[in-house]
Amino acid sequence: MKALFVLLLAQLCSASLVPEREKDPEYWRRQAQETLRNALRLQRLNQNVAKNLILFLGDGMGVSTVTAARILKGQLQHGQGEDSLLEMDKFPFVALAKTYNTNAQVPDSAGTATAYLCGVKANEGTLGVSAGVTRDRCNTTKGQEVTSILRWAKEAGKAVGIVTTTRVTHATPSAAYAHSANRDWYSDGEMPPDALEGGCKDIARQLVENIPEIEVILGGGRKYMYPKNVTDVEYPHEEKHRGTRLDGRNLVQAWKEAKPHGKVAEYVWNRRELLALNLSRVDFLLGESLHPRVPWHQLGASGGPLSWGAGAAVVASYPPQGCCCLQGMVVPGKAKQALHEAVELDRAIGLATRLTSTQDTLSVVTADHSHVFTFGGYTPRGNPIFGLAPMQSDVDRKPFTSILYGNGPGYKIVAGERENVSAVDFAHADYQAQSAVPLRQETHGGEDVAVFARGPMAHLLHGVHEQNYIPHAMAYAACIGSNRGHCNAAPRPTTPLLLPVLGLLLLLLC
């Protein structure tokens, strides 16, 4: 009888959460008809040449993360959340990408980055090289290098940029410019003697040397640019932030010296310096901030973090041939931080959407892989996304949060039993959601990830694709790279780029 009462109470509470308009069948019919009309309009395909390309990459942003972030966004706006729309949800074309590496069912970020940037699947842990390269084996690299869409765009005369919330030498952005048998060779200080003797270059050095004409580079990880034990400008008393290079080179200085005579190259490491720049007089911009990543929950604080969306503004202001901008974020294993980062990514997508034109700008949003992140527990409509499920386990009689991980450091046993989460602050930003399997660090997930597309030739991203197809479709749309036979016959865009540089810069950083 008690169980029946609880069930009836839950049903009554759930009914009270339903908005009045949704009780009317006509509400859903009207919504479906509007969606149908929008879908029918897509039969008129946008086959313009994409003057600009923007790739937004949510590191670890699986479909479950997208859904939970949508709910969080709505709840931050004081709604229930489920009926909210992310900016990426509004993109008209959606596909799925298969993320496996050539030697891994569940992928790592280096192999996937090589796929979605270079158009070639690769082994886990390797960057910008074919599957003929074995991880850690420097002597397998020569002749196996593959180039990225960033290089294809640069060779076509476009301005290019890399903007990330992690270190710029991290696997996710570095496949755009580097070729390495190991994603962890950030500087020569992290490389083994045999790799150095074999002539392989560290990733930071390749950032400066491989494509020196990258107009904008914003991110973190500056210690890999400086000689070993050089104190950090922001953390002079912290040993972990000191330079790591063994070759004694100052790569920031080398980056400046590599620029053509008469061109202005500016290096910044904090928000104040970035805002002080006269962007109309800057030809090249390098910004490196926190170590090793720039967490979204710190954005808006004085000093420190650089807003990676600023790169889109600077890059898009360059030559009339257009731009190619790669943007990324890192989703950590902590659910609250992960979802807030996803919402901030969506904010940047919204700004880019409003300040560019679908007539000449192809925007793509995707992920390199997912994480073992899930949420469930029959939560009622509007349940706080970081809250408890409305039920207890029928095994150990303890509550549980809706968000859980398949594995990771959230696994915890207290007095021989699962920890009682009602005794901890499960809504804290640093709370690690419970996991099924104990690991010091949770793993990636192996399922497909979503690909959202908007703009010229966005319809080429449809159905289920191998991940390495993404840059080929983008290159086709922009008439860059090797597949350009269709370009002379393609209609040309008529709407100019509508991107006020300083406007976007201030909107993202203030």
Side-chain angles (χ1 to χ4, degrees):
M1 189 70 179
K2 181 179 179 181
L4 178 60
F5 173 76
V6 171
L7 178 61
L8 289 172
L9 181 63
Q11 290 174 339
L12 287 171
C13 291
S14 177
S16 68
L17 296 174
V18 180
E20 283 300 314
R21 65 181 184 180
E22 295 185 13
K23 296 177 183 179
D24 182 358
E26 282 304 309
Y27 167 79
W28 298 106
R29 292 175 182 138
R30 286 194 299 270
Q31 184 193 73
Q33 288 299 311
E34 177 61 25
T35 303
L36 178 61
R37 286 191 291 271
N38 290 336
L40 289 169
R41 293 188 192 105
L42 295 180
Q43 292 182 99
R44 299 192 294 270
L45 298 178
N46 180 347
Q47 299 185 64
N48 292 344
V49 173
K51 176 182 175 184
N52 309 297
L53 300 173
I54 304 177
L55 175 62
F56 293 93
L57 193 285
D59 194 325
M61 191 177 69
V63 172
S64 57
T65 299
V66 171
T67 306
R70 178 188 305 129
I71 295 172
L72 173 60
K73 178 181 178 180
Q75 292 180 351
L76 290 173
Q77 297 171 345
H78 309 294
Q80 290 180 312
E82 295 82 7
D83 57 340
S84 178
L85 280 177
L86 292 168
E87 296 298 332
M88 64 186 88
D89 292 338
K90 302 172 187 177
F91 281 33
F93 295 95
V94 182
L96 292 175
K98 298 189 285 183
T99 63
Y100 67 92
N101 297 153
T102 46
N103 65 341
Q105 187 178 73
V106 177
D108 102 302
S109 298
T112 54
T114 303
Y116 63 74
L117 290 177
C118 303
V120 174
K121 287 226 174 193
N123 291 329
E124 62 87 25
T126 64
L127 284 168
V129 290
S130 75
V133 174
T134 304
R135 185 170 186 170
D136 295 322
R137 297 278 298 278
C138 169
N139 60 1
T140 64
T141 305
K142 189 173 182 180
Q144 299 298 321
E145 299 89 349
V146 293
T147 58
S148 74
I149 189 170
L150 183 136
R151 183 181 285 276
W152 308 341
K154 174 51 65 178
E155 290 175 348
K158 296 183 183 296
V160 297
I162 301 170
V163 195
T164 180
T165 55
T166 186
R167 64 179 74 90
V168 294
T169 51
H170 183 274
T172 301
S174 62
Y177 60 84
H179 315 285
S180 180
N182 191 315
R183 58 173 286 177
D184 298 326
W185 290 350
Y186 304 122
S187 77
D188 58 348
E190 285 75 38
M191 295 177 68
D194 65 301
L196 293 172
E197 294 166 4
C200 283
K201 298 180 182 179
D202 62 87
I203 296 170
R205 180 180 171 186
Q206 293 187 62
L207 172 65
V208 172
E209 295 181 356
N210 283 7
I211 312 178
E213 303 86 7
I214 298 175
E215 278 80 3
V216 175
I217 304 168
L218 295 178
R222 61 178 169 255
K223 68 179 181 179
Y224 305 112
M225 308 288 280
Y226 291 99
K228 189 172 179 63
N229 292 326
V230 168
T231 57
D232 183 72
V233 64
E234 188 174 5
Y235 305 106
H237 304 297
E238 295 189 29
E239 186 175 348
K240 66 179 180 179
H241 294 320
R242 293 177 182 171
T244 65
R245 301 200 62 79
L246 301 178
D247 58 11
R249 297 184 67 191
N250 179 331
L251 290 185
V252 172
Q253 188 61 36
W255 172 82
K256 288 184 177 181
E257 293 173 352
K259 300 300 174 285
H261 179 71
K263 297 293 184 179
V264 177
E266 294 285 354
Y267 171 77
V268 297
W269 62 268
N270 60 49
R271 177 178 180 269
R272 177 180 51 79
E273 289 184 343
L274 180 59
L275 289 175
L277 290 176
N278 183 342
L279 297 176
S280 65
R281 298 181 180 178
V282 175
D283 299 296
F284 298 94
L285 175 63
L286 171 62
E288 292 182 299
S289 54
L290 293 178
H291 309 259
R293 61 175 54 150
V294 186
W296 275 113
H297 69 277
Q298 291 185 10
L299 288 179
S302 59
L306 296 170
S307 179
W308 54 300
V314 180
V315 172
S317 71
Y318 274 85
Q321 293 90 338
C323 73
C324 175
C325 188
L326 311 173
Q327 305 199 13
M329 69 166 199
V330 170
V331 174
K334 297 178 180 178
K336 192 162 190 175
Q337 293 182 30
L339 296 188
H340 275 280
E341 285 186 343
V343 171
E344 289 297 332
L345 171 69
D346 200 62
R347 176 171 171 262
I349 294 168
L351 284 169
T353 298
R354 291 189 295 274
L355 297 171
T356 58
S357 168
T358 56
Q359 295 302 305
D360 65 2
T361 302
L362 173 62
S363 299
V364 176
V365 183
T366 189
D368 49 354
H369 53 75
S370 70
H371 280 266
V372 288
F373 169 97
T374 186
F375 70 103
Y378 299 114
T379 48
R381 181 80 174 267
N383 196 69
I385 192 61
F386 304 117
L388 295 173
M391 57 189 290
Q392 293 183 344
S393 165
D394 57 4
V395 177
D396 63 13
R397 305 300 175 185
K398 289 185 174 65
F400 60 95
T401 55
S402 173
I403 290 175
L404 298 167
Y405 283 88
N407 56 50
Y411 181 94
K412 187 178 292 186
I413 298 297
V414 178
E417 298 182 346
R418 181 173 67 90
E419 181 181 45
N420 190 330
V421 295
S422 61
V424 300
D425 184 5
F426 52 80
H428 193 276
D430 289 326
Y431 174 69
Q432 179 70 59
Q434 290 184 338
S435 63
V437 176
L439 287 176
R440 289 187 177 88
Q441 191 173 21
E442 58 101 17
T443 73
H444 295 171
E447 69 269 25
D448 299 348
V449 296
V451 186
F452 304 86
R454 167 187 180 270
M457 296 290 180
H459 55 278
L460 297 179
L461 291 160
H462 66 283
V464 180
H465 302 295
E466 294 287 358
Q467 192 172 38
N468 67 292
Y469 169 72
I470 294 172
H472 291 282
M474 295 181 72
Y476 182 94
C479 287
I480 62 175
S482 59
N483 188 4
R484 290 179 288 181
H486 65 290
C487 296
N488 291 336
R492 291 287 165 178
T494 56
T495 304
L497 182 65
L498 305 174
L499 190 52
V501 180
L502 190 56
L504 180 56
L505 181 66
L506 295 177
L507 280 169
L508 282 165
L509 288 178
C510 294

